[in-house]
Amino acid sequence: MRLNKFKLVEKQYLAFVLVLLALNITSCRQEKAKTPPNIIFIMSDDHAAHAISAYGGLYKDVAPTPNIDKLAKEGTRFTQSYVAAPVCAPSRAALLTGKYPQNAGVNSNTSHVPNSHGMPNEQYTLAELFKDNGYKTGHIGKWHLGMSAETSPNTQGFDYSFGHLRGCIDNYSHYFFWAGPNIHDLYENGKEVFYDGQYFPDLASNKALKYVEDNKENPFFMYYAINMPHYPYQPTNKWRNHYKDVEKPRGDYAAFISTIDERIGFLMDKLEALGIRDNTIIIYQSDNGYSTETRAFNGGGNSGPYRGAKSSLFEGGIRLPTIISWKNNLPQNIVNDEFFMNIDWFPTLAKLCNLNSLSENVDGIDMSEMIKTPNIASERTDGFWKYGNQWAVRNGNWKLMGYPKDTSHKGKLDLEQDALFLSNLDDDVSEMTNLANKYPKIVEALKAKYLTWEHGYETDIPKKTEFINHLGINGKIKPITKLNNKYKNIDVLLDGKRGYVDYSSGQWIGQEGKNLEFIIDLNEVKLISEITIGYLHNPSNWVFSPKLFEVSFSNDGLSFSNTIQSKASTKTNAKHNFTDTLTIKTKQKTQFIKVNIKGINNIPKGHEGTGNPGWIFIDEIIIK
């Protein structure tokens, strides 16, 4: 009897111990679950959506991306994720503030001039949000949001910063080459540092690995802004040799993609080795589409089924690879086809990390539930974009653009017929067919939707181009000075149509650092009373009002006389963009008119391009 009682007590004791162990394990799990997750936001630079294998990889035959693909398998890959601008600085400002670029104070790329301001300091950033919630914060790589101390990474919420402040650098000398004089651009916590000859992607990768290791015991937010595949194309010899048989610039671009993927692998291996991979949210996204600029050898990337590239509001410029992975905490191997924008990361990450003090005036939408439960529809039903003269609005599957620009050169755009461009993205993601004439009611509805946006204005809406009938319409024009290779369609100077405020619209003739000179043949002698030139002033793109223009006359086309000069433009130093005219009054019977338009030659002091050749752009020579 006593033995049975002892056994009973023993069993009760063992049961009690097991309960305690279970409670202790549960408590530990709960404590672990409450540990704030680390955040690593990897942003690549000018990365085409379809240059990743997981996205159908137009390079998968030569350039697989195993590490980025692994992130996708361990998380969610978005197929309809957008950035809020098609170029670097405003896209990054949108990400870091959760606001449309216009509300973040960065409408276009920021200046490279020393001490020039970028994103206003009063903007509340993701770094400040995480810092206010006890996180360590680090920026590594490209900044491109200000050159002044008050707009530098360290004053925008980052405890630690290493990288370049301008839009791009040479990866070995770390010099900025866009404009003279060439400037060294490498800083650590606001202090200029020198690593002459060392490969910047390796420097940045090593700094990222060290930052993770130094902060493994603390929750951290690391903004890892990789500067590739932005030009200059300087992949490592390993990858350059690997793609030596692939045509350029595609081979160099592919080599850069592999260089990125390899360094992401280094980072993921470090997280695993430190035992913090499962407690680290990793996001991968590009800032805008691939570049077709001259410095990028006119391409190298490819937007796959999408039209457009960097600087374009077609899908190829703004619809980009986006992946989120929180291993063993969020659903894995998910393909999410819902509408998402980079401004949504701000409230989404705040919710996933249970952060307090979320800024109330963000434009982004919390998408955390959609990420945690993939079958939930996106709360985002519309989005707005505005860059230069281009604008776009998307509502559901419909997208309307004003003054579209196709930097991928996949098709031609008619200046008038395509000034408003309508697409149904469910039916045709290529946007190669303008549906505006077929669905006028939808155009009107989307225009009205755009005008409800605080930055959508009636003046943005294209108006029917008025035809200007003048004596030069049926005349002939030929250049005297050599034309710029990009602007040789001089017939636009006598077509009766003015251009809009976009030098690349096809309605302008441009010249860099030199004068423009033409001879116009009116086909017969006519009485002339007035000659007017239309011009563009767009100083942010180094386009300036002409200093003046002059005309002379001839009846044989050989000997010209009676030269008359216009007054100089009074708006040469204006800072805003506009179109205007210069006019010469005369009384002259003539068949031939020689027109000489004088530019500013070199850009004067006080402008970021000081000392470089300035541009002049002319859209019509009106003869009455």
Side-chain angles (χ1 to χ4, degrees), residues 593-621:
I593 304 171
K594 182 188 289 185
V595 177
N596 184 17
I597 301 141
K598 298 184 177 182
I600 65 168
N601 296 324
N602 291 333
I603 299 173
K605 292 181 179 180
H607 185 274
E608 63 181 15
T610 298
N612 289 278
W615 286 83
I616 49 173
F617 276 85
I618 309 302
D619 67 345
E620 188 73 10
I621 302 173

Short mmCIF file of all heavy atoms in Angstrom, two decimals, residues 593-621:
data_model
loop_
_atom_site.label_atom_id
_atom_site.label_comp_id
_atom_site.label_asym_id
_atom_site.label_seq_id
_atom_site.Cartn_x
_atom_site.Cartn_y
_atom_site.Cartn_z
N ILE A 593 16.05 82.62 -96.48
CA ILE A 593 16.30 83.22 -95.17
C ILE A 593 17.36 82.37 -94.47
O ILE A 593 17.21 81.15 -94.34
CB ILE A 593 15.02 83.26 -94.30
CG1 ILE A 593 13.90 83.99 -95.02
CG2 ILE A 593 15.32 83.91 -92.95
CD1 ILE A 593 12.56 83.87 -94.32
N LYS A 594 18.42 83.03 -94.03
CA LYS A 594 19.41 82.34 -93.22
C LYS A 594 19.11 82.64 -91.75
O LYS A 594 19.00 83.81 -91.36
CB LYS A 594 20.83 82.78 -93.56
CG LYS A 594 21.91 82.04 -92.77
CD LYS A 594 23.30 82.64 -92.99
CE LYS A 594 23.81 82.35 -94.38
NZ LYS A 594 25.22 82.82 -94.56
N VAL A 595 18.99 81.60 -90.96
CA VAL A 595 18.65 81.74 -89.54
C VAL A 595 19.82 81.22 -88.70
O VAL A 595 20.27 80.10 -88.90
CB VAL A 595 17.38 80.94 -89.20
CG1 VAL A 595 17.08 81.04 -87.70
CG2 VAL A 595 16.20 81.43 -90.02
N ASN A 596 20.30 82.05 -87.78
CA ASN A 596 21.39 81.66 -86.88
C ASN A 596 20.91 81.84 -85.45
O ASN A 596 20.56 82.95 -85.04
CB ASN A 596 22.63 82.52 -87.15
CG ASN A 596 23.81 82.09 -86.30
OD1 ASN A 596 23.83 80.99 -85.76
ND2 ASN A 596 24.79 82.96 -86.19
N ILE A 597 20.88 80.72 -84.69
CA ILE A 597 20.42 80.75 -83.31
C ILE A 597 21.62 80.52 -82.40
O ILE A 597 22.29 79.48 -82.51
CB ILE A 597 19.35 79.68 -83.05
CG1 ILE A 597 18.15 79.93 -83.98
CG2 ILE A 597 18.88 79.70 -81.61
CD1 ILE A 597 17.53 78.69 -84.52
N LYS A 598 21.90 81.45 -81.55
CA LYS A 598 23.11 81.41 -80.72
C LYS A 598 22.79 80.91 -79.32
O LYS A 598 21.92 81.45 -78.63
CB LYS A 598 23.76 82.79 -80.66
CG LYS A 598 24.22 83.30 -82.04
CD LYS A 598 24.96 84.62 -81.95
CE LYS A 598 25.45 85.05 -83.33
NZ LYS A 598 26.22 86.31 -83.29
N GLY A 599 23.53 79.88 -78.91
CA GLY A 599 23.35 79.33 -77.56
C GLY A 599 24.29 79.98 -76.56
O GLY A 599 25.07 80.88 -76.89
N ILE A 600 24.26 79.47 -75.33
CA ILE A 600 25.10 80.06 -74.29
C ILE A 600 26.51 79.46 -74.30
O ILE A 600 27.37 79.89 -73.56
CB ILE A 600 24.48 79.85 -72.90
CG1 ILE A 600 24.44 78.36 -72.53
CG2 ILE A 600 23.11 80.47 -72.82
CD1 ILE A 600 24.12 78.11 -71.08
N ASN A 601 26.74 78.46 -75.18
CA ASN A 601 28.02 77.73 -75.22
C ASN A 601 28.26 77.02 -73.89
O ASN A 601 27.62 76.03 -73.61
CB ASN A 601 29.17 78.65 -75.61
CG ASN A 601 28.99 79.20 -77.03
OD1 ASN A 601 28.49 78.48 -77.90
ND2 ASN A 601 29.37 80.43 -77.26
N ASN A 602 29.13 77.53 -73.03
CA ASN A 602 29.39 76.88 -71.75
C ASN A 602 28.44 77.39 -70.67
O ASN A 602 28.09 78.57 -70.62
CB ASN A 602 30.83 77.12 -71.31
CG ASN A 602 31.82 76.37 -72.20
OD1 ASN A 602 31.47 75.34 -72.79
ND2 ASN A 602 33.02 76.88 -72.32
N ILE A 603 28.02 76.49 -69.79
CA ILE A 603 27.08 76.83 -68.72
C ILE A 603 27.75 77.75 -67.71
O ILE A 603 28.87 77.49 -67.26
CB ILE A 603 26.58 75.54 -68.03
CG1 ILE A 603 25.86 74.65 -69.05
CG2 ILE A 603 25.66 75.86 -66.86
CD1 ILE A 603 25.48 73.28 -68.52
N PRO A 604 27.10 78.84 -67.34
CA PRO A 604 27.72 79.82 -66.43
C PRO A 604 27.77 79.34 -64.99
O PRO A 604 27.22 78.30 -64.62
CB PRO A 604 26.78 81.03 -66.57
CG PRO A 604 25.45 80.44 -66.92
CD PRO A 604 25.75 79.25 -67.78
N LYS A 605 28.46 80.12 -64.16
CA LYS A 605 28.58 79.80 -62.73
C LYS A 605 27.21 79.84 -62.06
O LYS A 605 26.31 80.54 -62.50
CB LYS A 605 29.52 80.79 -62.05
CG LYS A 605 30.98 80.66 -62.49
CD LYS A 605 31.86 81.66 -61.75
CE LYS A 605 33.32 81.51 -62.17
NZ LYS A 605 34.20 82.48 -61.45
N GLY A 606 27.11 79.08 -60.98
CA GLY A 606 25.86 79.04 -60.24
C GLY A 606 24.97 77.88 -60.61
O GLY A 606 23.94 77.65 -59.98
N HIS A 607 25.35 77.12 -61.63
CA HIS A 607 24.58 75.95 -62.07
C HIS A 607 25.42 74.70 -61.83
O HIS A 607 26.66 74.75 -61.87
CB HIS A 607 24.23 76.08 -63.55
CG HIS A 607 23.33 75.00 -64.08
ND1 HIS A 607 23.81 73.79 -64.54
CD2 HIS A 607 21.98 74.94 -64.20
CE1 HIS A 607 22.79 73.05 -64.94
NE2 HIS A 607 21.68 73.71 -64.75
N GLU A 608 24.76 73.55 -61.59
CA GLU A 608 25.50 72.33 -61.29
C GLU A 608 26.40 71.89 -62.44
O GLU A 608 27.37 71.17 -62.23
CB GLU A 608 24.53 71.20 -60.95
CG GLU A 608 23.61 70.80 -62.08
CD GLU A 608 22.65 69.70 -61.70
OE1 GLU A 608 22.52 69.45 -60.49
OE2 GLU A 608 22.05 69.09 -62.60
N GLY A 609 26.08 72.32 -63.66
CA GLY A 609 26.89 71.93 -64.81
C GLY A 609 27.89 72.98 -65.24
O GLY A 609 28.37 72.96 -66.39
N THR A 610 28.23 73.89 -64.35
CA THR A 610 29.14 75.00 -64.66
C THR A 610 30.36 74.53 -65.45
O THR A 610 31.04 73.59 -65.06
CB THR A 610 29.60 75.69 -63.37
OG1 THR A 610 28.47 76.24 -62.70
CG2 THR A 610 30.58 76.81 -63.68
N GLY A 611 30.61 75.23 -66.58
CA GLY A 611 31.78 74.93 -67.39
C GLY A 611 31.55 73.90 -68.48
O GLY A 611 32.36 73.76 -69.40
N ASN A 612 30.42 73.19 -68.43
CA ASN A 612 30.09 72.20 -69.45
C ASN A 612 29.29 72.84 -70.57
O ASN A 612 28.66 73.89 -70.39
CB ASN A 612 29.29 71.05 -68.84
CG ASN A 612 30.13 70.17 -67.94
OD1 ASN A 612 30.84 69.30 -68.40
ND2 ASN A 612 30.06 70.43 -66.63
N PRO A 613 29.26 72.20 -71.75
CA PRO A 613 28.46 72.75 -72.85
C PRO A 613 26.98 72.76 -72.50
O PRO A 613 26.45 71.79 -71.96
CB PRO A 613 28.74 71.79 -74.02
CG PRO A 613 30.00 71.09 -73.66
CD PRO A 613 30.02 71.01 -72.16
N GLY A 614 26.31 73.86 -72.81
CA GLY A 614 24.87 73.95 -72.60
C GLY A 614 24.13 73.64 -73.89
O GLY A 614 24.69 73.71 -74.99
N TRP A 615 22.86 73.29 -73.75
CA TRP A 615 22.03 72.94 -74.90
C TRP A 615 21.09 74.07 -75.28
O TRP A 615 20.66 74.84 -74.41
CB TRP A 615 21.18 71.71 -74.60
CG TRP A 615 21.92 70.41 -74.56
CD1 TRP A 615 22.63 69.88 -73.52
CD2 TRP A 615 22.01 69.46 -75.63
NE1 TRP A 615 23.15 68.66 -73.87
CE2 TRP A 615 22.79 68.36 -75.16
CE3 TRP A 615 21.52 69.40 -76.93
CZ2 TRP A 615 23.07 67.25 -75.94
CZ3 TRP A 615 21.80 68.29 -77.71
CH2 TRP A 615 22.56 67.23 -77.22
N ILE A 616 20.76 74.16 -76.57
CA ILE A 616 19.62 74.96 -77.02
C ILE A 616 18.67 74.04 -77.78
O ILE A 616 19.12 73.11 -78.47
CB ILE A 616 20.04 76.15 -77.92
CG1 ILE A 616 20.99 75.70 -79.03
CG2 ILE A 616 20.63 77.28 -77.10
CD1 ILE A 616 21.31 76.79 -80.04
N PHE A 617 17.36 74.28 -77.64
CA PHE A 617 16.36 73.47 -78.33
C PHE A 617 15.34 74.39 -78.99
O PHE A 617 14.78 75.28 -78.35
CB PHE A 617 15.66 72.53 -77.34
CG PHE A 617 16.40 71.25 -77.10
CD1 PHE A 617 17.42 71.19 -76.15
CD2 PHE A 617 16.11 70.11 -77.83
CE1 PHE A 617 18.12 70.01 -75.93
CE2 PHE A 617 16.81 68.92 -77.61
CZ PHE A 617 17.81 68.87 -76.66
N ILE A 618 15.09 74.12 -80.29
CA ILE A 618 14.17 74.92 -81.09
C ILE A 618 13.07 74.02 -81.62
O ILE A 618 13.34 72.90 -82.06
CB ILE A 618 14.90 75.58 -82.29
CG1 ILE A 618 16.15 76.31 -81.79
CG2 ILE A 618 13.98 76.52 -83.05
CD1 ILE A 618 15.89 77.39 -80.77
N ASP A 619 11.82 74.51 -81.62
CA ASP A 619 10.73 73.65 -82.08
C ASP A 619 10.01 74.16 -83.33
O ASP A 619 9.35 73.39 -84.02
CB ASP A 619 9.71 73.41 -80.97
CG ASP A 619 8.95 74.68 -80.58
OD1 ASP A 619 9.38 75.79 -80.95
OD2 ASP A 619 7.93 74.56 -79.88
N GLU A 620 10.09 75.43 -83.67
CA GLU A 620 9.40 75.93 -84.86
C GLU A 620 10.00 77.29 -85.25
O GLU A 620 10.34 78.11 -84.38
CB GLU A 620 7.90 76.09 -84.60
CG GLU A 620 7.07 76.42 -85.82
CD GLU A 620 6.90 75.26 -86.79
OE1 GLU A 620 7.26 74.11 -86.43
OE2 GLU A 620 6.41 75.48 -87.92
N ILE A 621 10.15 77.49 -86.56
CA ILE A 621 10.53 78.80 -87.10
C ILE A 621 9.31 79.33 -87.83
O ILE A 621 8.93 78.81 -88.89
CB ILE A 621 11.74 78.70 -88.04
CG1 ILE A 621 12.94 78.06 -87.30
CG2 ILE A 621 12.12 80.07 -88.58
CD1 ILE A 621 14.12 77.76 -88.19
#
